[in-house]
mmCIF file of all heavy atoms in Angstrom:
data_model
loop_
_atom_site.group_PDB
_atom_site.id
_atom_site.type_symbol
_atom_site.label_atom_id
_atom_site.label_comp_id
_atom_site.label_asym_id
_atom_site.label_seq_id
_atom_site.Cartn_x
_atom_site.Cartn_y
_atom_site.Cartn_z
ATOM 1 N N LEU A 866 22.085 -14.972 -41.303
ATOM 2 C CA LEU A 866 20.802 -14.735 -40.622
ATOM 3 C C LEU A 866 20.963 -13.622 -39.581
ATOM 4 O O LEU A 866 20.078 -12.665 -39.497
ATOM 5 C CB LEU A 866 20.229 -15.983 -40.003
ATOM 6 C CG LEU A 866 20.041 -17.181 -40.912
ATOM 7 C CD1 LEU A 866 19.313 -18.331 -40.128
ATOM 8 C CD2 LEU A 866 19.191 -16.714 -42.092
ATOM 9 N N ARG A 867 21.965 -13.734 -38.782
ATOM 10 C CA ARG A 867 22.096 -12.733 -37.714
ATOM 11 C C ARG A 867 22.428 -11.387 -38.254
ATOM 12 O O ARG A 867 21.910 -10.355 -37.792
ATOM 13 C CB ARG A 867 23.207 -13.183 -36.705
ATOM 14 C CG ARG A 867 22.810 -14.527 -35.935
ATOM 15 C CD ARG A 867 21.710 -14.239 -34.908
ATOM 16 N NE ARG A 867 21.276 -15.465 -34.263
ATOM 17 C CZ ARG A 867 21.763 -15.878 -33.050
ATOM 18 N NH1 ARG A 867 22.720 -15.268 -32.454
ATOM 19 N NH2 ARG A 867 21.241 -16.915 -32.463
ATOM 20 N N TRP A 868 23.272 -11.312 -39.294
ATOM 21 C CA TRP A 868 23.618 -9.996 -39.885
ATOM 22 C C TRP A 868 22.377 -9.392 -40.579
ATOM 23 O O TRP A 868 22.249 -8.159 -40.512
ATOM 24 C CB TRP A 868 24.722 -10.176 -40.885
ATOM 25 C CG TRP A 868 26.113 -10.123 -40.276
ATOM 26 C CD1 TRP A 868 26.975 -11.136 -40.039
ATOM 27 C CD2 TRP A 868 26.879 -8.921 -39.835
ATOM 28 N NE1 TRP A 868 28.148 -10.697 -39.496
ATOM 29 C CE2 TRP A 868 28.066 -9.367 -39.314
ATOM 30 C CE3 TRP A 868 26.541 -7.550 -39.805
ATOM 31 C CZ2 TRP A 868 29.035 -8.480 -38.841
ATOM 32 C CZ3 TRP A 868 27.491 -6.655 -39.308
ATOM 33 C CH2 TRP A 868 28.673 -7.097 -38.837
ATOM 34 N N THR A 869 21.567 -10.216 -41.209
ATOM 35 C CA THR A 869 20.362 -9.692 -41.821
ATOM 36 C C THR A 869 19.469 -8.963 -40.815
ATOM 37 O O THR A 869 18.910 -7.964 -41.067
ATOM 38 C CB THR A 869 19.581 -10.818 -42.550
ATOM 39 O OG1 THR A 869 20.415 -11.378 -43.553
ATOM 40 C CG2 THR A 869 18.350 -10.257 -43.192
ATOM 41 N N LEU A 870 19.349 -9.559 -39.595
ATOM 42 C CA LEU A 870 18.551 -8.918 -38.556
ATOM 43 C C LEU A 870 19.226 -7.630 -38.115
ATOM 44 O O LEU A 870 18.537 -6.622 -37.923
ATOM 45 C CB LEU A 870 18.325 -9.876 -37.356
ATOM 46 C CG LEU A 870 17.422 -11.064 -37.563
ATOM 47 C CD1 LEU A 870 17.370 -11.904 -36.348
ATOM 48 C CD2 LEU A 870 16.016 -10.541 -37.896
ATOM 49 N N VAL A 871 20.516 -7.643 -37.927
ATOM 50 C CA VAL A 871 21.242 -6.437 -37.524
ATOM 51 C C VAL A 871 21.073 -5.316 -38.577
ATOM 52 O O VAL A 871 20.903 -4.154 -38.237
ATOM 53 C CB VAL A 871 22.706 -6.716 -37.382
ATOM 54 C CG1 VAL A 871 23.535 -5.471 -37.107
ATOM 55 C CG2 VAL A 871 22.896 -7.601 -36.111
ATOM 56 N N LEU A 872 20.985 -5.692 -39.808
ATOM 57 C CA LEU A 872 20.901 -4.708 -40.957
ATOM 58 C C LEU A 872 19.461 -4.604 -41.448
ATOM 59 O O LEU A 872 19.289 -4.079 -42.542
ATOM 60 C CB LEU A 872 21.827 -5.172 -42.065
ATOM 61 C CG LEU A 872 23.322 -5.332 -41.698
ATOM 62 C CD1 LEU A 872 24.082 -5.769 -42.926
ATOM 63 C CD2 LEU A 872 23.890 -4.058 -41.151
ATOM 64 N N GLN A 873 18.476 -4.941 -40.722
ATOM 65 C CA GLN A 873 17.083 -5.018 -41.212
ATOM 66 C C GLN A 873 16.577 -3.663 -41.640
ATOM 67 O O GLN A 873 15.644 -3.634 -42.521
ATOM 68 C CB GLN A 873 16.162 -5.642 -40.156
ATOM 69 C CG GLN A 873 16.102 -4.809 -38.847
ATOM 70 C CD GLN A 873 15.207 -5.489 -37.782
ATOM 71 O OE1 GLN A 873 14.074 -5.245 -37.720
ATOM 72 N NE2 GLN A 873 15.859 -6.392 -36.995
ATOM 73 N N THR A 874 17.100 -2.556 -41.107
ATOM 74 C CA THR A 874 16.571 -1.277 -41.517
ATOM 75 C C THR A 874 17.469 -0.645 -42.660
ATOM 76 O O THR A 874 17.195 0.471 -43.089
ATOM 77 C CB THR A 874 16.635 -0.282 -40.322
ATOM 78 O OG1 THR A 874 17.959 -0.105 -39.841
ATOM 79 C CG2 THR A 874 15.722 -0.808 -39.157
ATOM 80 N N TYR A 875 18.446 -1.388 -43.136
ATOM 81 C CA TYR A 875 19.288 -0.914 -44.205
ATOM 82 C C TYR A 875 18.618 -1.193 -45.561
ATOM 83 O O TYR A 875 17.949 -2.168 -45.746
ATOM 84 C CB TYR A 875 20.608 -1.654 -44.163
ATOM 85 C CG TYR A 875 21.614 -1.091 -43.221
ATOM 86 C CD1 TYR A 875 21.353 -1.015 -41.866
ATOM 87 C CD2 TYR A 875 22.898 -0.710 -43.666
ATOM 88 C CE1 TYR A 875 22.325 -0.514 -41.008
ATOM 89 C CE2 TYR A 875 23.870 -0.249 -42.849
ATOM 90 C CZ TYR A 875 23.558 -0.103 -41.448
ATOM 91 O OH TYR A 875 24.528 0.353 -40.606
ATOM 92 N N THR A 876 18.826 -0.252 -46.469
ATOM 93 C CA THR A 876 18.502 -0.530 -47.867
ATOM 94 C C THR A 876 19.559 -1.485 -48.385
ATOM 95 O O THR A 876 20.631 -1.699 -47.797
ATOM 96 C CB THR A 876 18.506 0.783 -48.734
ATOM 97 O OG1 THR A 876 19.869 1.268 -48.746
ATOM 98 C CG2 THR A 876 17.582 1.812 -48.147
ATOM 99 N N GLU A 877 19.299 -2.058 -49.514
ATOM 100 C CA GLU A 877 20.267 -2.962 -50.150
ATOM 101 C C GLU A 877 21.611 -2.234 -50.404
ATOM 102 O O GLU A 877 22.729 -2.790 -50.154
ATOM 103 C CB GLU A 877 19.772 -3.579 -51.452
ATOM 104 C CG GLU A 877 18.931 -4.779 -51.295
ATOM 105 C CD GLU A 877 18.578 -5.456 -52.634
ATOM 106 O OE1 GLU A 877 19.549 -6.032 -53.190
ATOM 107 O OE2 GLU A 877 17.455 -5.385 -53.096
ATOM 108 N N ALA A 878 21.488 -1.027 -50.853
ATOM 109 C CA ALA A 878 22.717 -0.249 -51.201
ATOM 110 C C ALA A 878 23.510 0.043 -49.867
ATOM 111 O O ALA A 878 24.778 -0.049 -49.904
ATOM 112 C CB ALA A 878 22.341 1.082 -51.875
ATOM 113 N N GLU A 879 22.808 0.381 -48.831
ATOM 114 C CA GLU A 879 23.459 0.713 -47.602
ATOM 115 C C GLU A 879 24.140 -0.581 -47.039
ATOM 116 O O GLU A 879 25.273 -0.571 -46.523
ATOM 117 C CB GLU A 879 22.470 1.207 -46.530
ATOM 118 C CG GLU A 879 21.977 2.593 -46.801
ATOM 119 C CD GLU A 879 20.884 3.034 -45.895
ATOM 120 O OE1 GLU A 879 20.112 2.160 -45.436
ATOM 121 O OE2 GLU A 879 20.703 4.244 -45.684
ATOM 122 N N ALA A 880 23.458 -1.709 -47.106
ATOM 123 C CA ALA A 880 23.947 -2.933 -46.623
ATOM 124 C C ALA A 880 25.203 -3.363 -47.414
ATOM 125 O O ALA A 880 26.177 -3.838 -46.894
ATOM 126 C CB ALA A 880 22.900 -4.055 -46.664
ATOM 127 N N LYS A 881 25.095 -3.204 -48.708
ATOM 128 C CA LYS A 881 26.228 -3.565 -49.620
ATOM 129 C C LYS A 881 27.466 -2.776 -49.257
ATOM 130 O O LYS A 881 28.550 -3.280 -49.205
ATOM 131 C CB LYS A 881 25.800 -3.414 -51.076
ATOM 132 C CG LYS A 881 26.854 -3.904 -52.063
ATOM 133 C CD LYS A 881 26.357 -3.826 -53.487
ATOM 134 C CE LYS A 881 27.380 -4.299 -54.476
ATOM 135 N NZ LYS A 881 26.842 -4.228 -55.882
ATOM 136 N N ALA A 882 27.215 -1.477 -49.020
ATOM 137 C CA ALA A 882 28.368 -0.584 -48.628
ATOM 138 C C ALA A 882 28.978 -0.979 -47.352
ATOM 139 O O ALA A 882 30.263 -0.943 -47.238
ATOM 140 C CB ALA A 882 27.829 0.849 -48.617
ATOM 141 N N LEU A 883 28.173 -1.385 -46.293
ATOM 142 C CA LEU A 883 28.768 -1.792 -45.104
ATOM 143 C C LEU A 883 29.524 -3.106 -45.207
ATOM 144 O O LEU A 883 30.618 -3.259 -44.648
ATOM 145 C CB LEU A 883 27.656 -1.931 -43.994
ATOM 146 C CG LEU A 883 28.180 -2.362 -42.605
ATOM 147 C CD1 LEU A 883 29.046 -1.217 -42.062
ATOM 148 C CD2 LEU A 883 27.043 -2.674 -41.669
ATOM 149 N N CYS A 884 28.908 -3.991 -45.954
ATOM 150 C CA CYS A 884 29.601 -5.330 -46.214
ATOM 151 C C CYS A 884 30.930 -5.073 -46.900
ATOM 152 O O CYS A 884 31.924 -5.768 -46.554
ATOM 153 C CB CYS A 884 28.730 -6.246 -47.069
ATOM 154 S SG CYS A 884 27.214 -6.830 -46.216
ATOM 155 N N LYS A 885 30.991 -4.180 -47.822
ATOM 156 C CA LYS A 885 32.272 -3.845 -48.472
ATOM 157 C C LYS A 885 33.233 -3.221 -47.532
ATOM 158 O O LYS A 885 34.417 -3.550 -47.502
ATOM 159 C CB LYS A 885 31.987 -2.919 -49.694
ATOM 160 C CG LYS A 885 33.261 -2.588 -50.464
ATOM 161 C CD LYS A 885 32.951 -1.720 -51.651
ATOM 162 C CE LYS A 885 34.181 -1.381 -52.473
ATOM 163 N NZ LYS A 885 33.874 -0.540 -53.673
ATOM 164 N N LYS A 886 32.760 -2.282 -46.647
ATOM 165 C CA LYS A 886 33.601 -1.654 -45.678
ATOM 166 C C LYS A 886 34.226 -2.659 -44.728
ATOM 167 O O LYS A 886 35.472 -2.549 -44.438
ATOM 168 C CB LYS A 886 32.837 -0.596 -44.922
ATOM 169 C CG LYS A 886 33.631 0.093 -43.801
ATOM 170 C CD LYS A 886 32.712 1.072 -43.002
ATOM 171 C CE LYS A 886 33.495 1.651 -41.879
ATOM 172 N NZ LYS A 886 32.662 2.653 -41.113
ATOM 173 N N LEU A 887 33.451 -3.559 -44.256
ATOM 174 C CA LEU A 887 33.941 -4.566 -43.295
ATOM 175 C C LEU A 887 34.581 -5.767 -43.970
ATOM 176 O O LEU A 887 34.962 -6.749 -43.265
ATOM 177 C CB LEU A 887 32.810 -4.961 -42.317
ATOM 178 C CG LEU A 887 32.301 -3.855 -41.403
ATOM 179 C CD1 LEU A 887 31.221 -4.455 -40.492
ATOM 180 C CD2 LEU A 887 33.393 -3.211 -40.600
ATOM 181 N N LYS A 888 34.598 -5.734 -45.318
ATOM 182 C CA LYS A 888 35.248 -6.843 -46.098
ATOM 183 C C LYS A 888 34.680 -8.204 -45.817
ATOM 184 O O LYS A 888 35.343 -9.177 -45.597
ATOM 185 C CB LYS A 888 36.784 -6.827 -45.824
ATOM 186 C CG LYS A 888 37.477 -5.539 -46.298
ATOM 187 C CD LYS A 888 38.939 -5.658 -46.273
ATOM 188 C CE LYS A 888 39.579 -4.351 -46.722
ATOM 189 N NZ LYS A 888 41.050 -4.366 -46.733
ATOM 190 N N PHE A 889 33.294 -8.202 -45.926
ATOM 191 C CA PHE A 889 32.593 -9.525 -45.920
ATOM 192 C C PHE A 889 33.039 -10.350 -47.130
ATOM 193 O O PHE A 889 33.392 -9.772 -48.149
ATOM 194 C CB PHE A 889 31.106 -9.376 -46.010
ATOM 195 C CG PHE A 889 30.394 -8.892 -44.753
ATOM 196 C CD1 PHE A 889 30.923 -7.783 -44.087
ATOM 197 C CD2 PHE A 889 29.195 -9.433 -44.416
ATOM 198 C CE1 PHE A 889 30.221 -7.324 -42.962
ATOM 199 C CE2 PHE A 889 28.565 -9.030 -43.306
ATOM 200 C CZ PHE A 889 29.023 -7.956 -42.565
#
């Protein structure tokens, strides 16, 4: 929930890339 708010302006592709970078 908190990460979704932090990433609210991200597209799905952008969010997926960041999650991969930070190894979610």
Side-chain angles (χ1 to χ4, degrees):
L866 300 188
R867 296 288 177 94
W868 275 103
T869 299
L870 287 177
V871 170
L872 303 179
Q873 62 185 268
T874 62
Y875 277 57
T876 65
E877 276 191 68
E879 290 172 331
K881 186 175 182 179
L883 181 67
C884 290
K885 182 177 181 180
K886 174 182 177 179
L887 295 182
K888 297 190 178 179
F889 284 48

